[in-house]
Amino acid sequence: MATVVVALGGSLLRPEVEERHNWLQSMVEVIVASVESGSKVALVVGGGAPAREGIELAKPFIEDVSHLDRIGIAATRLNATIVREALSEGGLAVSRKIPESTGEAVLELEKCDVVVMGGTEPGHTTDAVAIRLAIQSEAEKCVIATNVARVYSQDPSQYPEAKSFDHLTLRELQEIVGPPEHAEAGTSQVVDPVGVGEAVEHGLPLDVLDGRDTQVIKMSLEGDDFEGTRVRD
Ligand code: UTP
């Protein structure tokens, strides 16, 4: 049975996103369809607004970055719980637990069609968790569902002349996002450089796409042509 791992950026669940109930409903339908076509799906959910708020509130009092990371991790698990409950309500056999490590998630995936988790330990973001889980569960690829249409050469909000890519090699993506080191808690690149480092090491294919449109996620899961960036070895 094919396994696919999806990193769902926490910004996709943010309250500002218009029609967020429709988005969640449609996300459930996409996962139901994927399971019906014979896949196992692991979702790794980001921290979004609660992570940013919590980290911002505590920052002036906390020196150790890993302590701020723990606040971010708590937020990712809150968001994972929201998505887990919605999927379970949609009739899917979802792991009851929110795994706290990728090893635990691999074991849960052996028992259930769907597993939902957030972060694991300080030092990276949920993209890196999703990539690690994809490697450990021998998934065919890892989908990075974010809130931009493609990978750009630079941040397009700051550099309007930035170039976007349909295809990249894993090493080219590493050059764009920078060396595999953890940035300050709560700061974010299109894909976590720590995760990209592990994908490079294992030759794991990545599909980077705009998760605000759940149909784009569906097309990637079904192996169809989708709008976004395909990152291959
Ligand atoms: P996110 O995965 O949401 O990271 O984790 P992000 O890239 O900053 O945000 P979005 O979702 O793409 O908008 C939020 C924060 O939680 C901590 C990190 O500080 C991260 O920035 N975190 C998360 C960890 O330390 N370890 C984890 O496994 C996950």
Side-chain angles (χ1 to χ4, degrees), residues 8-11 45-48 51-52 55 65-66 68-76 118-127 129 146-147 182-190 192:
L8 277 184
S11 63
V45 189
R52 258 186 296 279
I55 290 168
V65 168
S66 70
L68 290 174
D69 281 346
R70 289 209 288 257
I71 297 172
I73 293 169
T76 65
T120 52
E121 74 274 335
H124 48 70
T125 74
T126 45
D127 288 348
V129 175
T146 175
N147 58 2
H182 183 43
E184 202 181 317
T187 54
S188 141
Q189 270 282 359
V190 61
D192 181 350

Side-chain angles (χ1 to χ4, degrees), residues 164-209:
S164 73
F165 302 97
D166 287 336
H167 297 272
L168 281 174
T169 65
L170 286 159
R171 282 182 194 283
E172 285 168 340
L173 179 63
Q174 186 86 72
E175 265 177 43
I176 290 172
V177 299
E181 292 156 9
H182 183 43
E184 202 181 317
T187 54
S188 141
Q189 270 282 359
V190 61
V191 187
D192 181 350
V194 176
V196 175
E198 294 195 17
V200 169
E201 228 173 272
H202 292 86
L204 176 75
L206 306 177
D207 284 355
V208 185
L209 48 79

Side-chain angles (χ1 to χ4, degrees), residues 12-218:
L12 300 171
L13 298 170
R14 274 165 71 170
E16 300 91 287
V17 174
E18 279 174 35
E19 306 239 345
R20 61 190 197 275
H21 293 128
N22 290 345
W23 178 85
L24 190 52
Q25 176 62 40
S26 152
M27 195 61 226
V28 171
E29 286 162 18
V30 166
I31 305 305
V32 168
S34 185
V35 168
E36 276 174 1
S37 70
S39 296
K40 286 196 177 236
V41 185
L43 295 172
V44 184
V45 189
R52 258 186 296 279
E53 276 169 27
I55 290 168
E56 192 270 327
L57 176 60
K59 212 170 202 165
F61 314 101
I62 295 178
E63 268 179 34
D64 188 331
V65 168
S66 70
H67 297 174
L68 290 174
D69 281 346
R70 289 209 288 257
I71 297 172
I73 293 169
T76 65
R77 290 181 181 156
L78 165 68
N79 282 342
T81 306
I82 295 166
V83 172
R84 200 218 85 88
E85 296 308 322
L87 290 169
S88 172
E89 205 61 33
L92 284 163
V94 194
S95 162
R96 195 168 284 279
K97 276 193 78 177
I98 302 289
E100 294 190 1
S101 69
T102 49
E104 213 183 294
V106 171
L107 295 177
E108 288 297 315
L109 262 177
E110 283 170 12
K111 295 183 273 181
C112 309
D113 291 335
V114 183
V115 171
V116 188
M117 70 186 294
T120 52
E121 74 274 335
H124 48 70
T125 74
T126 45
D127 288 348
V129 175
I131 286 168
R132 199 167 291 170
L133 177 55
I135 293 162
Q136 290 176 0
S137 62
E138 297 177 353
E140 54 189 41
K141 65 181 173 185
C142 183
V143 179
I144 308 284
T146 175
N147 58 2
V148 287
R150 287 187 177 76
V151 178
Y152 283 79
S153 53
Q154 288 160 300
D155 181 351
S157 62
Q158 287 184 44
Y159 302 92
E161 71 285 4
K163 189 173 174 268
S164 73
F165 302 97
D166 287 336
H167 297 272
L168 281 174
T169 65
L170 286 159
R171 282 182 194 283
E172 285 168 340
L173 179 63
Q174 186 86 72
E175 265 177 43
I176 290 172
V177 299
E181 292 156 9
H182 183 43
E184 202 181 317
T187 54
S188 141
Q189 270 282 359
V190 61
V191 187
D192 181 350
V194 176
V196 175
E198 294 195 17
V200 169
E201 228 173 272
H202 292 86
L204 176 75
L206 306 177
D207 284 355
V208 185
L209 48 79
D210 189 343
R212 289 172 297 186
D213 182 350
T214 55
Q215 292 314 297
V216 179
I217 301 180
K218 186 176 168 92

